[in-house]
Amino acid sequence: MSAEALAAGKRKLVWDAAWASITGAWSGGVVLVAFALSLGADPMTIGLLAAIPFMAQAAQLPTTLLVERLRQRKLIGVSAVTGARLIILLLAVLPFLPQAGPRVGLLVGGQLLVAVLGSVAAGAINSWIHQLLPAASLGAFFGRRLLIASVLACAGTLSAGFLIDHAPFGDPRLAYPAAFVGAGVAGLASSWCLARTPEPLMAPPGPHPTWRTMLAEPLHDTNFRRLLILLGAWNVASNIAAPLLTVYLLQQLNYGLGTVTTLWVTSQFANAVALYLWGRLSDRLSNKAILAVALPAYFASMLGLVFAAAADLAEVRLVLLYLLHVLMGAASGGIGLATGNIGLKLAPQGRGTAYLAAIGLVAALAGGAAPLLGGAIAQWLAQSELALIARWISPSRAEDMVVLGFAHWEFLFALSALLGLYVMHALSRVSEGEEISERVVMQELALEALRTVNHLSSIGGMIGGALPFSRVSQWRREIRRDIRRGRGAAPD
């Protein structure tokens, strides 16, 4: 493929992600949860809606066989994703159905079809993109692509929240249908961009493989099997609590949809800002090094939700929630980018379909079971509380003080942080080449942020005066020397 065709394909993929992010903002996430609650869904149904996208990834297995037989990845991917967007359009009629009808059941069924078709599309498109894009520039490209998508997702979520709070013609029944119609139209624009992306020719076909044969190859690869364990552990640890965070904020902390939406947008904004830095670092350093920094930050913020809820003043609690969402968003950007890139990097060229399908299967099993397990645990512990009490006794009085307490959804956040310890252990067993220390990542991240500020703000001139360029250059030389030596020591 020519360099011009590859550049044009990259631009189309960026536009595809931009339109798809608007579709997700107007029909998924916070909007979907609020829509389901407005139709009468209970917490277990919310957990099921969160689990469906992961369980549906199992559809990537038969998709790999379909791709190997038909060898038409573009046709399969674009057709499936377009079908999913048409179903999103149809879901807009649910608020107009009788309340006695199965509106929640139709929503769950529609989301299942959307997720299955999306998974089929992903199975074909991932193999297509794996062959299309050079491995050496994956971090920078996906960092830019995810940055644009995240910014538009923030804008889309804010506009959807405004639309729902200010229903057209004052009729609340029109708010969610308008959001889903907009999501469907944006999705069709995404499909059009994807259809105009070039597709490289697949390698000549060999014998038609069976499911067992295709799964055996990545499972027999020791290092890739360790990567699958890491991804499975991450999906369980994160999705046992994160998909239910919206319900926790709406029901246990009693925040309105507007506040919950701004919290989500704050997280996504931090995600977008951090993605630019993470993307540049992943190409220079390694995806494993990025995960070694981002994963502890994410699980620390999950545990921090427990302490934020314990704040007595409502204003202090809200400020802590915003800060934690910023940290979660920035860490999630690095985790999402690095886990996606490391799978593409460790999958052998020309045989990516089976390896990426194995990743999809692990995500389906682990990510699908985790929200259901989290919902069951939350419902079981709905009326339970665990408190650590300190007692002060003096000659004049005796007083008990609650030092730390867990109630209902907060058990899930603590459990997620505890499972994060195993995720870090699983990460240590994966090999991606030369080992790079977390200190080097932090140093490079600081220098990358410094360079970005220097380009975007007049403050950069002040920083440049305080930290002369020669000193920054010296730091960079010493860091690169440490990377080559594999010890990551900080410069004096």
Side-chain angles (χ1 to χ4, degrees), residues 160-182:
F162 180 83
L163 175 65
I164 293 167
D165 287 339
H166 302 80
F169 308 106
D171 188 351
R173 294 185 307 166
L174 298 178
Y176 289 108
F180 273 73
V181 168

Side-chain angles (χ1 to χ4, degrees), residues 266-287:
T266 299
S267 177
Q268 292 303 302
F269 180 77
N271 186 295
V273 172
L275 270 174
Y276 175 78
L277 303 177
W278 291 127
R280 295 175 67 92
L281 288 182
S282 67
D283 286 333
R284 283 208 305 269
L285 304 179
S286 72
N287 297 295

Side-chain angles (χ1 to χ4, degrees), residues 2 33 66 88 96 106 127 132 175 204 217 224 249 276 286 289 305 376 379 410 415 440 461:
S2 67
V33 171
L66 186 65
I88 291 175
F96 302 104
L106 290 174
S127 175
L132 176 68
E217 185 177 6
F224 201 84
L249 295 172
Y276 175 78
S286 72
L305 289 171
Q379 187 164 333
E410 293 160 2
L415 178 60
V440 171

Side-chain angles (χ1 to χ4, degrees), residues 19-358:
W19 286 112
S21 67
I22 297 176
T23 300
W26 286 350
S27 65
V30 176
V31 175
L32 176 61
V33 171
F35 184 37
L37 292 174
S38 72
L39 296 178
D42 56 26
M44 284 301 298
T45 303
I46 301 300
L48 178 59
L49 288 173
I52 281 175
F54 296 98
M55 295 187 294
Q57 291 190 40
Q60 290 192 31
L61 259 179
T63 301
T64 58
L65 297 180
L66 186 65
V67 166
E68 293 297 331
R69 291 179 183 275
L70 298 184
R71 314 190 71 73
Q72 295 289 332
R73 297 170 296 188
K74 185 174 181 178
L75 176 63
I76 296 170
V78 174
S79 300
V81 78
T82 303
R85 274 72 186 264
L86 293 175
I87 294 174
I88 291 175
L89 281 172
L90 293 177
L91 291 176
V93 306
L94 290 182
F96 302 104
L97 299 180
Q99 293 187 2
R103 298 190 301 176
V104 174
L106 290 174
L107 176 63
V108 172
Q111 288 297 313
L112 179 61
L113 287 175
V114 170
V116 169
L117 288 173
S119 181
V120 171
I125 294 171
N126 285 342
S127 175
W128 167 13
I129 294 178
H130 177 255
Q131 185 181 357
L132 176 68
L133 300 178
S137 60
L138 286 177
F141 171 75
F142 280 108
R144 183 174 70 255
R145 187 171 185 255
L146 290 174
L147 170 63
I148 295 173
S150 298
V151 171
L152 290 177
C154 292
T157 302
L158 285 176
S159 61
F162 180 83
L163 175 65
I164 293 167
D165 287 339
H166 302 80
F169 308 106
D171 188 351
R173 294 185 307 166
L174 298 178
Y176 289 108
F180 273 73
V181 168
V185 172
L188 294 178
S190 167
S191 297
W192 184 83
C193 293
L194 194 61
R196 295 177 61 84
T197 303
E199 178 189 10
L201 291 175
M202 294 183 68
H208 292 312
T210 63
W211 288 5
R212 179 178 298 179
T213 302
M214 295 188 69
L215 282 179
E217 185 177 6
L219 291 179
H220 289 161
D221 185 330
T222 302
N223 191 46
F224 201 84
R225 185 170 66 247
R226 291 173 177 172
L227 174 63
L228 294 178
I229 294 173
L230 166 65
L231 297 179
W234 156 247
N235 273 286
V236 171
S238 60
N239 289 296
I240 202 169
L244 302 170
L245 178 57
T246 299
V247 184
Y248 167 71
L249 295 172
L250 289 171
Q251 293 189 344
Q252 186 165 329
L253 297 187
N254 297 316
Y255 287 117
L257 181 60
T259 302
V260 174
T261 301
T262 56
L263 284 168
W264 187 90
V265 169
T266 299
S267 177
Q268 292 303 302
F269 180 77
N271 186 295
V273 172
L275 270 174
Y276 175 78
L277 303 177
W278 291 127
R280 295 175 67 92
L281 288 182
S282 67
D283 286 333
R284 283 208 305 269
L285 304 179
S286 72
N287 297 295
K288 181 179 177 180
I290 301 298
L291 289 173
V293 173
L295 283 171
Y298 177 86
F299 289 116
S301 62
M302 291 299 293
L303 185 59
L305 289 171
V306 178
F307 297 94
D312 293 331
L313 294 177
E315 294 80 4
V316 174
R317 182 190 305 124
L318 190 58
V319 169
L320 290 175
L321 287 173
Y322 274 110
L323 292 176
L324 289 172
H325 275 72
V326 168
L327 182 58
M328 279 193 291
S332 297
I335 295 169
L337 181 70
T339 53
N341 283 353
I342 197 171
L344 290 172
K345 185 175 181 180
L346 297 184
Q349 276 292 336
R351 294 177 297 170
T353 303
Y355 280 73
L356 297 178

